[in-house]
Amino acid sequence: MCVSIFDDYALYENRANINLEIENKIDEYDEICTSLASNFEKISAIREKMCDEMYYLYAPDGTPSNEAWAHNIIGSLCAGEGVCDSYARTFSLLLNYEGIDCLYVAGKSHNENHAWNLVLIDDYYYWFDCTWDDSNSELDDKYFAVGTYSFDDHTCDLPTGIGGSFLYALPSNISSDNYIKKYDLYKNGEELCKFTASQAAFDKMTDENGSYK
C-alpha cells in the first residue's frame, strides 16, 4: 500500500502545530456562540466571523488557487484565505461542532466547479453559499438561508457521478421557500433573540413581568 502526503504535512511537528492552531480557532468560534440563544443566531455569527476573517485566494494567473491548503479548513482557519472548498468545509465543521447539521455540497455555479452548504434549521434544510456572498466588499445575503427556488443558479453533483463529480444523496426536506422566515423577539424594548420558528420565540418568553413583542 502506498500512502501519499503533501510535503508541508509530512512531519508530525508540522501537523501537530496546525492541529493546535485549528483547535484554537474553533474555540474562538465556540466562545462567540455561548451567549447566543438560538441556532439561527449561531449560524449568522459564525458565517459573519468566517467571512470577515477570510479572503478568496487566486493564483497569479487569476484562476482559483490550486494550493492544497486553500481547498480545506487549513486555508480558512490558519491562513485566512482559500477557495470555495475552504469556505464550505470550514462552515460545515464549525456548525457541526455547535451541534447544527451542516452538509458540504459540490457541483457547479456560474459555470464553474463550486462548493457550498445545506444547513438544517428547525425542520428544513436551507442553502448557504458563503463564497459568493463574500465576493463583494460587504457581506451579501443573497445566498443566506434560501430555498431551492432562489438557488437555481447552482447545480449539485449526483450520487451517480464518478470521482470528483460524485455526491452523496441529499436530504428530501430541503425548503422550497424563497427565503427563510425570521422572527425578532424584543423584551422591554430591547432585541433579545432572532428565531426561525415562532414557537421557539414563545418558549423564550419566561419572564412574567417582561414586555415581549
Side-chain angles (χ1 to χ4, degrees):
M1 181 176 68
C2 178
V3 177
S4 62
I5 190 170
F6 293 100
D7 291 341
D8 291 344
Y9 318 130
L11 296 178
Y12 168 77
E13 181 179 0
N14 291 345
R15 299 197 302 274
N17 288 337
I18 290 171
N19 285 340
L20 179 60
E21 193 170 352
I22 290 172
E23 290 171 3
N24 289 338
K25 288 298 293 186
I26 292 175
D27 286 342
E28 283 185 23
Y29 282 90
D30 185 44
E31 185 174 353
I32 68 173
C33 290
T34 56
S35 62
L36 301 179
S38 68
N39 282 349
F40 186 74
E41 288 182 299
K42 294 177 183 179
I43 294 166
S44 299
I46 288 173
R47 169 181 170 269
E48 183 175 352
K49 177 177 172 63
M50 185 184 76
C51 291
D52 183 57
E53 296 182 349
M54 184 177 177
Y55 296 92
Y56 193 92
L57 183 63
Y58 291 96
D61 63 0
T63 60
S65 173
N66 61 3
E67 293 282 355
W69 53 264
H71 289 259
N72 59 49
I73 63 174
I74 297 175
S76 174
L77 297 180
C78 298
E81 53 189 4
V83 298
C84 60
D85 289 331
S86 184
Y87 276 91
R89 294 183 193 280
T90 303
F91 196 53
S92 179
L93 169 71
L94 295 173
L95 293 194
N96 286 330
Y97 186 84
E98 297 300 325
I100 302 169
D101 191 7
C102 178
L103 305 179
Y104 172 91
V105 182
K108 287 186 178 295
S109 179
H110 300 181
N111 296 318
E112 300 176 10
N113 291 330
H114 195 49
W116 57 92
N117 299 98
L118 267 178
V119 180
L120 183 63
I121 304 176
D122 296 328
D123 297 324
Y124 292 93
Y125 282 90
Y126 291 86
W127 299 106
F128 286 75
D129 189 334
C130 298
T131 306
W132 289 157
D133 275 350
D134 195 34
S135 61
N136 299 314
S137 57
E138 293 186 4
L139 187 60
D140 197 0
D141 284 342
K142 180 177 180 181
Y143 299 116
F144 176 83
V146 300
T148 300
Y149 291 148
S150 298
F151 214 70
D152 58 1
D153 53 357
H154 290 64
T155 303
C156 300
D157 289 332
L158 300 172
T160 54
I162 298 174
S165 64
F166 169 84
L167 180 68
Y168 43 78
L170 297 177
S172 59
N173 55 327
I174 300 175
S175 174
S176 59
D177 292 336
N178 286 338
Y179 294 95
I180 193 169
K181 296 179 177 65
K182 305 169 189 176
Y183 298 90
D184 296 318
L185 177 62
Y186 290 83
K187 176 183 177 183
N188 299 332
E190 295 185 3
E191 185 175 5
L192 184 62
C193 314
K194 291 183 182 292
F195 297 94
T196 58
S198 57
Q199 184 59 52
F202 284 125
D203 290 342
K204 289 294 179 180
M205 298 181 186
T206 56
D207 185 354
E208 295 181 357
N209 298 318
S211 176
Y212 294 96
K213 71 172 184 177

